[in-house]
Amino acid sequence: MELRLDGKRALVTGASSGLGLHFAGLLSSAGAEVTLAARRLDIVEAEAAKLPLAHAFALDVTDATSVENLIGANTFDIVVNNAGIAESGPALETTTADFQTVLDTNLTGVFTVARSAAQAMSETGGGSIINIASILGIRVSGGVAAYAASKAGVIQLTKSLALEWARHGIRVNALCPGYIETPINAEFFTTQAGQSLIKRIPQRRLGKPDDLDGAMLLLASDASRYMTGSVIAVDGGHLVSGL
Ligand code: NAI
């Protein structure tokens, strides 16, 4: 079975860097018409210009008007809810405002984008929504309480939306990456703490963005037509590391 996306319109949020930028290129290479959306329009415009059939749009997922401006005016077959932030620090020192900021982006932002996209999808026969959660939504680590809570919320939100929207032909699935090397964390993994973390991954290496390609293309394409509410971990076995 070929995982092609020809004729499909895809939206990737947070597509200015890291995994989002990688996913935009991947979906484009599979034949989709991709919209790269992020807060920095100049960056997504420059990246979209490198792809065959791509568009750029300014989007802040925490701003309902911004979401409506993009999604209210466009219909997508595939939505990758990738925008996210990772705050870290001890819970005792985390302010309510900092906690709320993580929830606003990582959880409420996913809901706002998914709901807007689903309203249009329900009128066009359906689509596939892929929420980027994390293995930290399933297991925990120190210093990431807000992030872990937000990603656990994304997983449960994914299941709830899958249940409600199956009747509209909309599939909603979650992809939970393990530790993937992106520009934002590359430096940490050169430190002693980073190196000892890698030793706890059963496959003994960090993930690379293209390690996620198989799961992403599966969820984006009709190959996963009977999958909804699924939670797929791609983590080198990190979730099953011994206790
Ligand atoms: P990143 O920081 O390179 O990318 C995050 C993207 O989201 C950036 O383009 C940023 O501008 C955008 N963004 C942040 N707030 C936004 C907002 N309010 N509106 C629109 N865009 C916004 O980080 P990375 O690593 O590429 O992460 C992408 C997703 O993957 C995130 O949801 C992250 O939690 C998740 N993830 C990453 C892992 C990793 O090891 N890199 C592991 C598990 C999950």
Side-chain angles (χ1 to χ4, degrees), residues 8 16 32 79 92-93 183 197:
K8 302 279 189 194
S16 59
V79 170
L92 276 176
E93 291 164 22
L197 191 151

Side-chain angles (χ1 to χ4, degrees), residues 14 16-19 39 59-61 82 132-133 147 151 177-178 180 182:
S16 59
S17 66
L19 297 183
R39 290 167 300 182
L59 173 72
D60 181 342
V61 300
N82 166 82
I132 307 303
Y147 183 81
K151 294 299 187 178
I180 309 293
T182 59

Side-chain angles (χ1 to χ4, degrees), residues 94-110:
T94 300
T95 65
T96 304
D98 288 343
F99 188 89
Q100 192 63 52
T101 299
V102 175
L103 270 281
D104 284 347
T105 306
N106 293 7
L107 181 55
T108 311
V110 167

